[in-house]
Amino acid sequence: MDFLSFLTPAFWVAVGQIILIDILLGGDNAVVIALACRGLPPKQRKMGIIYGTAGAIILRVILIAFALALLAIPYLKLVGGLLLVWIGVKLMVPQDDEGHGNIQSSDKLWGAVKTVIIADLVMSVDNVLAIAGAAESAGQHQLPLVIFGLLVSIPIIVAGSQIVLKLMDRFPVIITLGAMLLGWIAGQMIYTDPGLKPYLPDSKTWEYGAAVFGALLVLAIGKLAVRRKEVVEAP
C-alpha cells in the first residue's frame, strides 16, 4: 500500500466530502442519541452516547464496505445515483419536525445503546450510498478513506451537531450546497456505471460535466419542490 497515495488532493477532497455528507445527513443522529439516552441516569448518559455512537459507526463501515463492492455491478450505480438525486432534493425541502416521536428512551445502558444502533441502521441508507459514492471518486484505498472520514466526523456529530444545525438554520445556503454535493456525486456515479461505460466517452471532462449537471439538477428540482410546498401550505 503506497503511503503517498493518502496525500493526494483526490483523497482529501473525498475526505472533505464524506465529512460534509455525514454532518448534513447525520444531523438526526444527535437527536436520536439524545432521545434514546434521555432515560438513563446522568452518570450513564455519556457512556450511552459513546457506546451507541461507536456501535453505529462500526455498523456503518460494514454497510459501506458492502456498498463499495456492490457499486461494481452494472446499473446499480445508476439506481444509486438516482436515489442520491432524490435524497438531495429531499434535503432542500423543509421537513416537519415530527419524525422522532417513536424513538423510545431506556433506563438501561445497553437498552439505550441498542436503540441508538437500530435507529442509526434504519436511517443510514442515504449516508451509506453518498459516502460510498464519494469514496469511489478517490480511486484506491476506498475503505481506509471511509473509515478515516467517519472517524473525523464522529466528534463533529456527537459534540458539535447542534452548533452545525443552528448554522444551517441561520445560513440555509449550507444545506443547498450540501444537496448540490449529493447531486454532483450522483452525476459521477451514473456516468461511471459499468453498464453505461461502453456507451459514453471515456473522458474526465464529460464525467465532470455529468457531475455539474447532477448538482444543477438537484438545485432546480429542489427549488421547484420548495416553491410547490410553499404554495400548498399557503393559507
PDB file of all heavy atoms in Angstrom, residues 91-114:
ATOM      1  N   LEU A  91     -33.401  16.880   0.905  1.00  0.00           N
ATOM      2  CA  LEU A  91     -32.615  17.661   1.870  1.00  0.00           C
ATOM      3  C   LEU A  91     -32.945  19.143   1.772  1.00  0.00           C
ATOM      4  O   LEU A  91     -32.926  19.869   2.769  1.00  0.00           O
ATOM      5  CB  LEU A  91     -31.118  17.437   1.606  1.00  0.00           C
ATOM      6  CG  LEU A  91     -30.125  17.981   2.630  1.00  0.00           C
ATOM      7  CD1 LEU A  91     -30.287  17.282   3.973  1.00  0.00           C
ATOM      8  CD2 LEU A  91     -28.697  17.825   2.131  1.00  0.00           C
ATOM      9  N   MET A  92     -33.259  19.612   0.564  1.00  0.00           N
ATOM     10  CA  MET A  92     -33.544  21.032   0.360  1.00  0.00           C
ATOM     11  C   MET A  92     -34.933  21.437   0.831  1.00  0.00           C
ATOM     12  O   MET A  92     -35.168  22.606   1.154  1.00  0.00           O
ATOM     13  CB  MET A  92     -33.403  21.396  -1.131  1.00  0.00           C
ATOM     14  CG  MET A  92     -31.976  21.428  -1.625  1.00  0.00           C
ATOM     15  SD  MET A  92     -31.877  21.963  -3.356  1.00  0.00           S
ATOM     16  CE  MET A  92     -32.498  23.635  -3.240  1.00  0.00           C
ATOM     17  N   VAL A  93     -35.870  20.480   0.861  1.00  0.00           N
ATOM     18  CA  VAL A  93     -37.254  20.797   1.233  1.00  0.00           C
ATOM     19  C   VAL A  93     -37.383  20.763   2.752  1.00  0.00           C
ATOM     20  O   VAL A  93     -37.052  19.764   3.379  1.00  0.00           O
ATOM     21  CB  VAL A  93     -38.241  19.793   0.607  1.00  0.00           C
ATOM     22  CG1 VAL A  93     -39.676  20.141   0.990  1.00  0.00           C
ATOM     23  CG2 VAL A  93     -38.080  19.783  -0.907  1.00  0.00           C
ATOM     24  N   PRO A  94     -37.858  21.845   3.387  1.00  0.00           N
ATOM     25  CA  PRO A  94     -38.016  21.867   4.849  1.00  0.00           C
ATOM     26  C   PRO A  94     -38.914  20.730   5.311  1.00  0.00           C
ATOM     27  O   PRO A  94     -39.977  20.495   4.745  1.00  0.00           O
ATOM     28  CB  PRO A  94     -38.670  23.231   5.126  1.00  0.00           C
ATOM     29  CG  PRO A  94     -38.353  24.060   3.926  1.00  0.00           C
ATOM     30  CD  PRO A  94     -38.281  23.108   2.763  1.00  0.00           C
ATOM     31  N   GLN A  95     -38.465  20.018   6.347  1.00  0.00           N
ATOM     32  CA  GLN A  95     -39.222  18.873   6.869  1.00  0.00           C
ATOM     33  C   GLN A  95     -39.913  19.245   8.178  1.00  0.00           C
ATOM     34  O   GLN A  95     -39.394  20.012   8.974  1.00  0.00           O
ATOM     35  CB  GLN A  95     -38.279  17.686   7.129  1.00  0.00           C
ATOM     36  CG  GLN A  95     -37.539  17.209   5.889  1.00  0.00           C
ATOM     37  CD  GLN A  95     -38.471  16.651   4.835  1.00  0.00           C
ATOM     38  OE1 GLN A  95     -39.363  15.864   5.142  1.00  0.00           O
ATOM     39  NE2 GLN A  95     -38.280  17.051   3.596  1.00  0.00           N
ATOM     40  N   ASP A  96     -41.089  18.673   8.390  1.00  0.00           N
ATOM     41  CA  ASP A  96     -41.783  18.852   9.665  1.00  0.00           C
ATOM     42  C   ASP A  96     -41.050  18.062  10.740  1.00  0.00           C
ATOM     43  O   ASP A  96     -40.685  16.900  10.526  1.00  0.00           O
ATOM     44  CB  ASP A  96     -43.234  18.359   9.562  1.00  0.00           C
ATOM     45  CG  ASP A  96     -44.008  19.177   8.537  1.00  0.00           C
ATOM     46  OD1 ASP A  96     -43.722  20.381   8.426  1.00  0.00           O
ATOM     47  OD2 ASP A  96     -44.867  18.595   7.853  1.00  0.00           O
ATOM     48  N   ASP A  97     -40.837  18.642  11.889  1.00  0.00           N
ATOM     49  CA  ASP A  97     -40.049  18.030  12.955  1.00  0.00           C
ATOM     50  C   ASP A  97     -40.895  17.086  13.798  1.00  0.00           C
ATOM     51  O   ASP A  97     -41.219  17.356  14.942  1.00  0.00           O
ATOM     52  CB  ASP A  97     -39.457  19.131  13.859  1.00  0.00           C
ATOM     53  CG  ASP A  97     -38.435  18.576  14.835  1.00  0.00           C
ATOM     54  OD1 ASP A  97     -37.905  17.492  14.559  1.00  0.00           O
ATOM     55  OD2 ASP A  97     -38.181  19.251  15.872  1.00  0.00           O
ATOM     56  N   GLU A  98     -41.277  15.968  13.159  1.00  0.00           N
ATOM     57  CA  GLU A  98     -42.103  15.019  13.911  1.00  0.00           C
ATOM     58  C   GLU A  98     -41.720  13.575  13.623  1.00  0.00           C
ATOM     59  O   GLU A  98     -42.480  12.649  13.822  1.00  0.00           O
ATOM     60  CB  GLU A  98     -43.582  15.226  13.586  1.00  0.00           C
ATOM     61  CG  GLU A  98     -43.858  15.238  12.106  1.00  0.00           C
ATOM     62  CD  GLU A  98     -45.297  15.589  11.787  1.00  0.00           C
ATOM     63  OE1 GLU A  98     -45.859  16.503  12.404  1.00  0.00           O
ATOM     64  OE2 GLU A  98     -45.857  14.914  10.906  1.00  0.00           O
ATOM     65  N   GLY A  99     -40.496  13.387  13.137  1.00  0.00           N
ATOM     66  CA  GLY A  99     -40.079  12.036  12.764  1.00  0.00           C
ATOM     67  C   GLY A  99     -39.446  11.241  13.869  1.00  0.00           C
ATOM     68  O   GLY A  99     -39.057  10.089  13.674  1.00  0.00           O
ATOM     69  N   HIS A 100     -39.269  11.832  15.054  1.00  0.00           N
ATOM     70  CA  HIS A 100     -38.560  11.132  16.108  1.00  0.00           C
ATOM     71  C   HIS A 100     -39.458  10.752  17.275  1.00  0.00           C
ATOM     72  O   HIS A 100     -38.982  10.314  18.311  1.00  0.00           O
ATOM     73  CB  HIS A 100     -37.405  12.000  16.632  1.00  0.00           C
ATOM     74  CG  HIS A 100     -36.471  12.444  15.550  1.00  0.00           C
ATOM     75  ND1 HIS A 100     -35.661  11.561  14.869  1.00  0.00           N
ATOM     76  CD2 HIS A 100     -36.223  13.680  15.024  1.00  0.00           C
ATOM     77  CE1 HIS A 100     -34.943  12.229  13.971  1.00  0.00           C
ATOM     78  NE2 HIS A 100     -35.269  13.497  14.049  1.00  0.00           N
ATOM     79  N   GLY A 101     -40.756  10.900  17.118  1.00  0.00           N
ATOM     80  CA  GLY A 101     -41.665  10.625  18.227  1.00  0.00           C
ATOM     81  C   GLY A 101     -41.692   9.170  18.625  1.00  0.00           C
ATOM     82  O   GLY A 101     -42.074   8.831  19.736  1.00  0.00           O
ATOM     83  N   ASN A 102     -41.262   8.268  17.691  1.00  0.00           N
ATOM     84  CA  ASN A 102     -41.315   6.851  18.004  1.00  0.00           C
ATOM     85  C   ASN A 102     -40.000   6.325  18.566  1.00  0.00           C
ATOM     86  O   ASN A 102     -39.845   5.124  18.744  1.00  0.00           O
ATOM     87  CB  ASN A 102     -41.692   6.045  16.752  1.00  0.00           C
ATOM     88  CG  ASN A 102     -40.715   6.293  15.618  1.00  0.00           C
ATOM     89  OD1 ASN A 102     -39.901   7.191  15.685  1.00  0.00           O
ATOM     90  ND2 ASN A 102     -40.813   5.480  14.582  1.00  0.00           N
ATOM     91  N   ILE A 103     -39.012   7.220  18.816  1.00  0.00           N
ATOM     92  CA  ILE A 103     -37.766   6.787  19.434  1.00  0.00           C
ATOM     93  C   ILE A 103     -37.976   6.718  20.934  1.00  0.00           C
ATOM     94  O   ILE A 103     -38.221   7.732  21.575  1.00  0.00           O
ATOM     95  CB  ILE A 103     -36.605   7.761  19.119  1.00  0.00           C
ATOM     96  CG1 ILE A 103     -36.405   7.896  17.607  1.00  0.00           C
ATOM     97  CG2 ILE A 103     -35.318   7.308  19.789  1.00  0.00           C
ATOM     98  CD1 ILE A 103     -35.946   6.629  16.934  1.00  0.00           C
ATOM     99  N   GLN A 104     -37.882   5.522  21.491  1.00  0.00           N
ATOM    100  CA  GLN A 104     -38.166   5.347  22.912  1.00  0.00           C
ATOM    101  C   GLN A 104     -36.891   5.348  23.721  1.00  0.00           C
ATOM    102  O   GLN A 104     -35.883   4.782  23.312  1.00  0.00           O
ATOM    103  CB  GLN A 104     -38.922   4.032  23.133  1.00  0.00           C
ATOM    104  CG  GLN A 104     -40.268   4.018  22.422  1.00  0.00           C
ATOM    105  CD  GLN A 104     -41.102   2.841  22.835  1.00  0.00           C
ATOM    106  OE1 GLN A 104     -40.709   2.046  23.671  1.00  0.00           O
ATOM    107  NE2 GLN A 104     -42.269   2.729  22.243  1.00  0.00           N
ATOM    108  N   SER A 105     -36.935   6.010  24.872  1.00  0.00           N
ATOM    109  CA  SER A 105     -35.784   6.025  25.758  1.00  0.00           C
ATOM    110  C   SER A 105     -35.755   4.744  26.575  1.00  0.00           C
ATOM    111  O   SER A 105     -36.737   4.012  26.653  1.00  0.00           O
ATOM    112  CB  SER A 105     -35.843   7.234  26.695  1.00  0.00           C
ATOM    113  OG  SER A 105     -36.963   7.130  27.555  1.00  0.00           O
ATOM    114  N   SER A 106     -34.599   4.480  27.186  1.00  0.00           N
ATOM    115  CA  SER A 106     -34.453   3.315  28.052  1.00  0.00           C
ATOM    116  C   SER A 106     -33.704   3.731  29.301  1.00  0.00           C
ATOM    117  O   SER A 106     -32.846   4.605  29.249  1.00  0.00           O
ATOM    118  CB  SER A 106     -33.676   2.208  27.310  1.00  0.00           C
ATOM    119  OG  SER A 106     -33.377   1.146  28.188  1.00  0.00           O
ATOM    120  N   ASP A 107     -34.058   3.097  30.415  1.00  0.00           N
ATOM    121  CA  ASP A 107     -33.342   3.400  31.654  1.00  0.00           C
ATOM    122  C   ASP A 107     -32.207   2.419  31.880  1.00  0.00           C
ATOM    123  O   ASP A 107     -31.542   2.446  32.915  1.00  0.00           O
ATOM    124  CB  ASP A 107     -34.302   3.395  32.850  1.00  0.00           C
ATOM    125  CG  ASP A 107     -35.016   2.054  33.000  1.00  0.00           C
ATOM    126  OD1 ASP A 107     -34.821   1.166  32.133  1.00  0.00           O
ATOM    127  OD2 ASP A 107     -35.756   1.894  33.983  1.00  0.00           O
ATOM    128  N   LYS A 108     -31.957   1.524  30.892  1.00  0.00           N
ATOM    129  CA  LYS A 108     -30.849   0.585  30.948  1.00  0.00           C
ATOM    130  C   LYS A 108     -29.811   0.976  29.897  1.00  0.00           C
ATOM    131  O   LYS A 108     -30.168   1.271  28.748  1.00  0.00           O
ATOM    132  CB  LYS A 108     -31.315  -0.849  30.669  1.00  0.00           C
ATOM    133  CG  LYS A 108     -32.442  -1.332  31.582  1.00  0.00           C
ATOM    134  CD  LYS A 108     -31.987  -1.462  33.028  1.00  0.00           C
ATOM    135  CE  LYS A 108     -33.113  -2.010  33.904  1.00  0.00           C
ATOM    136  NZ  LYS A 108     -32.747  -2.010  35.339  1.00  0.00           N
ATOM    137  N   LEU A 109     -28.523   0.957  30.276  1.00  0.00           N
ATOM    138  CA  LEU A 109     -27.457   1.415  29.387  1.00  0.00           C
ATOM    139  C   LEU A 109     -27.471   0.676  28.054  1.00  0.00           C
ATOM    140  O   LEU A 109     -27.510   1.296  26.992  1.00  0.00           O
ATOM    141  CB  LEU A 109     -26.098   1.240  30.074  1.00  0.00           C
ATOM    142  CG  LEU A 109     -24.863   1.592  29.227  1.00  0.00           C
ATOM    143  CD1 LEU A 109     -24.902   3.042  28.805  1.00  0.00           C
ATOM    144  CD2 LEU A 109     -23.582   1.291  29.995  1.00  0.00           C
ATOM    145  N   TRP A 110     -27.480  -0.670  28.086  1.00  0.00           N
ATOM    146  CA  TRP A 110     -27.393  -1.428  26.837  1.00  0.00           C
ATOM    147  C   TRP A 110     -28.696  -1.368  26.046  1.00  0.00           C
ATOM    148  O   TRP A 110     -28.686  -1.514  24.826  1.00  0.00           O
ATOM    149  CB  TRP A 110     -26.979  -2.873  27.127  1.00  0.00           C
ATOM    150  CG  TRP A 110     -25.577  -2.928  27.657  1.00  0.00           C
ATOM    151  CD1 TRP A 110     -25.187  -3.257  28.915  1.00  0.00           C
ATOM    152  CD2 TRP A 110     -24.389  -2.575  26.947  1.00  0.00           C
ATOM    153  NE1 TRP A 110     -23.823  -3.132  29.044  1.00  0.00           N
ATOM    154  CE2 TRP A 110     -23.307  -2.722  27.865  1.00  0.00           C
ATOM    155  CE3 TRP A 110     -24.116  -2.147  25.649  1.00  0.00           C
ATOM    156  CZ2 TRP A 110     -21.992  -2.462  27.499  1.00  0.00           C
ATOM    157  CZ3 TRP A 110     -22.801  -1.881  25.283  1.00  0.00           C
ATOM    158  CH2 TRP A 110     -21.760  -2.042  26.211  1.00  0.00           C
ATOM    159  N   GLY A 111     -29.801  -1.123  26.740  1.00  0.00           N
ATOM    160  CA  GLY A 111     -31.057  -0.897  26.022  1.00  0.00           C
ATOM    161  C   GLY A 111     -30.993   0.371  25.192  1.00  0.00           C
ATOM    162  O   GLY A 111     -31.428   0.409  24.031  1.00  0.00           O
ATOM    163  N   ALA A 112     -30.421   1.440  25.775  1.00  0.00           N
ATOM    164  CA  ALA A 112     -30.268   2.704  25.061  1.00  0.00           C
ATOM    165  C   ALA A 112     -29.295   2.552  23.902  1.00  0.00           C
ATOM    166  O   ALA A 112     -29.524   3.077  22.804  1.00  0.00           O
ATOM    167  CB  ALA A 112     -29.784   3.794  26.027  1.00  0.00           C
ATOM    168  N   VAL A 113     -28.181   1.829  24.131  1.00  0.00           N
ATOM    169  CA  VAL A 113     -27.178   1.600  23.074  1.00  0.00           C
ATOM    170  C   VAL A 113     -27.819   0.853  21.910  1.00  0.00           C
ATOM    171  O   VAL A 113     -27.630   1.203  20.738  1.00  0.00           O
ATOM    172  CB  VAL A 113     -25.971   0.812  23.627  1.00  0.00           C
ATOM    173  CG1 VAL A 113     -25.048   0.366  22.499  1.00  0.00           C
ATOM    174  CG2 VAL A 113     -25.204   1.662  24.633  1.00  0.00           C
ATOM    175  N   LYS A 114     -28.610  -0.195  22.217  1.00  0.00           N
ATOM    176  CA  LYS A 114     -29.289  -0.968  21.168  1.00  0.00           C
ATOM    177  C   LYS A 114     -30.243  -0.075  20.373  1.00  0.00           C
ATOM    178  O   LYS A 114     -30.304  -0.158  19.139  1.00  0.00           O
ATOM    179  CB  LYS A 114     -30.063  -2.125  21.803  1.00  0.00           C
ATOM    180  CG  LYS A 114     -30.743  -3.040  20.795  1.00  0.00           C
ATOM    181  CD  LYS A 114     -31.535  -4.134  21.484  1.00  0.00           C
ATOM    182  CE  LYS A 114     -32.804  -3.570  22.105  1.00  0.00           C
ATOM    183  NZ  LYS A 114     -33.708  -4.620  22.640  1.00  0.00           N
TER     184      LYS A 114
END
